[in-house]
Amino acid sequence: MLQTIRNAWKIKDIRKKLIYTFIALVIVRIGCQLPIPGVNGAAISQFFSEQTSLGFFDALTGGSFTTMSIFALNITPYITSSIIMQLLTIAIPKLEEMQKDGEDGRKKIAEYTRYVTVALAIIESVAMAIGFGNSGYLENGLTFTGVLTVAVSLTAGSAFLMWLGERITEKGVGNGISIILLINILSRIPNDISTLYKKFVDVDSSGNVVNSILAAAIILAVIIGMVVFIIFLQNGERRIPVQYAKKVQGRKMVGGQSSSIPLKVNTAGVIPVIFAGSLLQFPIIIASLFGTNPASGAGASLGQKILKIMNQQSWCNFENFGEFKYTLGLVIYIALLIFFAYFYTSITFNPIEISNNMKKQGGFIPGIRPGKPTTDYLTKVLNNIIFIGAIGLTVVAVVPIFCSGVFGADVSFSGTSLIIIVGVVLETIKQIESQMLVRHYKGFLND
């Protein structure tokens, strides 16, 4: 990776793109420190510090959500709108036709995605502003001017990041939205590493040098092992061979080539983890706005106990059975993760369409008849791959939760964050290498 970046830096065009991307990311981090006018930042930080269920969302926003900066919503409305549009493309025939129209259709869908992003940002920002006003977190109370200021600031910040992400994609390197998401997550990791060091490695707190060295070795082994495992999970694929029959077109004999259909092991990417986590955390966030937090014990209500089952911070606590029983939420989480892995893949990969396209082009899988047998074969292989990918995602998601519950290793980055980091870095490196390869081809042709 370092060798690729070093070679890319020697090329003027790619060096300009790297510098452009770096400057854009500096702007992102500066904006994450600018507070919203009229908001009591200290009171809001105190409120969010008591909400243990917002760790993942705060990691996605680079800490700007808990500090209520102008980038508090960050690119989360864009991510949500992209998922919504992707689902609607399957449900609405008009959007499906538009997607198949090529570049013009994709541009139109991207335009709709921007509109949905702004609409979601307005809804979320107005709701947050009203909630803060009712809770006394606005300096001038719940006034029209105060709500408007907060709503405009948050919406403008989210729209600006969406625009900046598109500019990075166009003039920089990598996917701009993914790069912004990456830098937000990376910005929280130094603080998390410092927390782990003070709790497990610092000699002053442990009093034993051997234990500190052992703790540091275990932490490094877990992090490196997770990264290596995610790399294999992201790059793993099953290639189904496809043979194309020979046919005569005019006076030429065409066809006869061999190809393959690459099916990624992790076909759904990080989406199942995000969906499963969001579905469990959403009721907790809504309840916290009304003053109800997860709790246990004799004085806790049934609703608070249900919320504690949904709260990841309550899982894998082996102190006593009274606390361990809330690990039931982890079983529900794993079931949701596997369900969304199958669900999301089913709406993004259609074996019937693949089979029909192969049949039209004269292609077939060796040993499998075209038509329904091919569809059944693709479905069977896909289901097996999805299960393997879902198990891999489960391992990645559960290991940080287990470490947090058993050892108290409370950090903002989770398995989801690691998947995003590794996936974005690998994809960006591949894009840089492809740009270098294209440049070498151009140079060869010009010579």
Side-chain angles (χ1 to χ4, degrees):
M1 182 180 73
L2 295 178
Q3 183 66 30
T4 300
I5 296 176
R6 189 181 300 113
N7 294 335
W9 188 258
K10 299 176 183 178
I11 303 173
K12 183 177 179 181
D13 294 341
I14 301 180
R15 183 168 65 247
K16 287 182 179 180
K17 293 182 178 182
L18 290 172
I19 294 175
Y20 184 91
T21 304
F22 176 77
I23 294 174
L25 295 181
V26 170
I27 294 174
V28 171
R29 294 311 305 160
I30 292 175
C32 289
Q33 312 304 319
L34 300 177
I36 299 174
V39 173
N40 189 338
I44 288 183
S45 297
Q46 176 64 28
F47 169 74
F48 283 131
S49 64
E50 301 171 356
Q51 308 301 318
T52 58
S53 59
L54 298 176
F56 175 65
F57 187 78
D58 193 42
L60 293 183
T61 60
S64 60
F65 183 72
T66 53
T67 58
M68 272 298 115
S69 73
I70 59 174
F71 288 167
L73 292 181
N74 222 275
I75 58 172
T76 53
Y78 182 85
I79 296 174
T80 305
S81 65
S82 299
I83 295 173
I84 291 174
M85 290 301 299
Q86 193 169 11
L87 296 176
L88 290 179
T89 301
I90 306 299
I92 301 176
K94 183 67 175 177
L95 291 176
E96 187 176 3
E97 293 177 7
M98 196 176 296
Q99 188 181 39
K100 295 178 180 178
D101 284 343
E103 187 65 24
D104 293 337
R106 285 191 289 270
K107 286 182 179 179
K108 201 67 177 178
I109 292 178
E111 183 179 349
Y112 292 157
T113 304
R114 298 188 195 102
Y115 294 149
V116 175
T117 300
V118 175
L120 288 175
I122 292 174
I123 294 172
E124 293 178 15
S125 60
V126 170
M128 291 173 60
I130 295 175
F132 292 153
N134 290 329
S135 302
Y137 296 142
L138 298 183
E139 293 179 351
N140 297 323
L142 184 59
T143 62
F144 175 79
T145 304
V147 172
L148 182 64
T149 301
V150 173
V152 170
S153 299
L154 290 175
T155 303
S158 182
F160 175 77
L161 285 181
M162 177 181 63
W163 173 85
L164 188 62
E166 292 178 348
R167 298 287 75 75
I168 293 175
T169 303
E170 180 182 348
K171 299 181 180 180
V173 293
N175 181 284
I177 299 298
S178 300
I179 294 293
I180 292 176
L181 188 61
L182 172 67
I183 196 64
N184 286 336
I185 296 175
L186 290 178
S187 67
R188 303 287 293 170
I189 289 183
N191 183 53
D192 291 333
I193 297 298
S194 175
T195 301
L196 292 175
Y197 175 81
K198 292 178 181 178
K199 187 166 186 176
F200 299 103
V201 182
D202 192 3
V203 178
D204 294 335
S205 61
S206 64
N208 191 321
V209 177
V210 176
N211 289 343
S212 297
I213 296 175
L214 182 61
I218 292 175
I219 292 173
L220 287 176
V222 171
I223 295 177
I224 295 174
M226 288 278 289
V227 171
V228 172
F229 181 78
I230 293 172
I231 291 175
F232 280 107
L233 183 64
Q234 292 291 94
N235 290 336
E237 63 181 22
R238 165 74 183 276
R239 297 184 179 182
I240 300 177
V242 178
Q243 182 71 36
Y244 290 93
K246 293 183 178 181
K247 56 184 179 180
V248 178
Q249 288 185 353
R251 296 183 178 181
K252 295 182 179 180
M253 180 74 71
V254 297
Q257 298 96 353
S258 298
S259 182
S260 62
I261 302 175
L263 297 178
K264 293 181 67 67
V265 173
N266 186 19
T267 52
V270 75
I271 297 298
V273 184
I274 295 177
F275 275 17
S278 300
L279 191 62
L280 292 178
Q281 291 187 8
F282 183 73
I284 301 176
I285 297 174
I286 297 300
S288 65
L289 296 177
F290 291 94
T292 304
N293 294 313
S296 59
S301 64
L302 178 61
Q304 288 178 310
K305 293 181 179 179
I306 293 175
L307 290 177
K308 188 162 186 177
I309 291 177
M310 297 180 178
N311 188 12
Q312 293 186 7
Q313 303 296 325
S314 306
W315 301 343
C316 299
N317 190 337
F318 294 96
E319 293 181 357
N320 54 69
F321 179 76
E323 294 297 325
F324 176 74
K325 64 184 179 183
Y326 294 104
T327 308
L328 173 65
L330 179 60
V331 178
I332 300 174
Y333 176 72
I334 293 174
L336 287 174
L337 196 152
I338 296 175
F339 167 76
F340 282 121
Y342 278 94
F343 172 76
Y344 189 77
T345 304
S346 67
I347 65 176
T348 55
F349 185 90
N350 189 349
I352 298 177
E353 184 179 354
I354 298 296
S355 176
N356 291 336
N357 290 338
M358 287 172 51
K359 189 175 181 180
K360 292 177 182 177
Q361 297 173 4
F364 61 93
I365 299 174
I368 307 296
R369 289 182 299 171
K372 190 176 185 303
T374 299
T375 302
D376 295 339
Y377 177 78
L378 290 174
T379 302
K380 179 182 177 181
V381 173
L382 185 64
N383 288 335
N384 293 336
I385 291 176
I386 294 173
F387 182 75
I388 296 174
I391 295 300
L393 282 179
T394 301
V395 173
V396 173
V398 169
V399 168
I401 295 174
F402 179 82
C403 293
S404 177
V406 176
F407 305 108
D410 296 326
V411 292
S412 63
F413 68 89
S414 59
T416 310
S417 302
L418 291 176
I419 294 174
I420 294 173
I421 292 173
V422 174
V424 173
V425 170
L426 290 177
E427 190 64 30
T428 303
I429 293 299
K430 287 180 181 178
Q431 184 170 339
I432 293 176
E433 290 177 345
S434 66
Q435 291 182 8
M436 294 171 61
L437 189 61
V438 169
R439 182 185 179 278
H440 289 319
Y441 279 144
K442 288 182 178 179
F444 174 76
L445 293 175
N446 290 335
D447 294 338

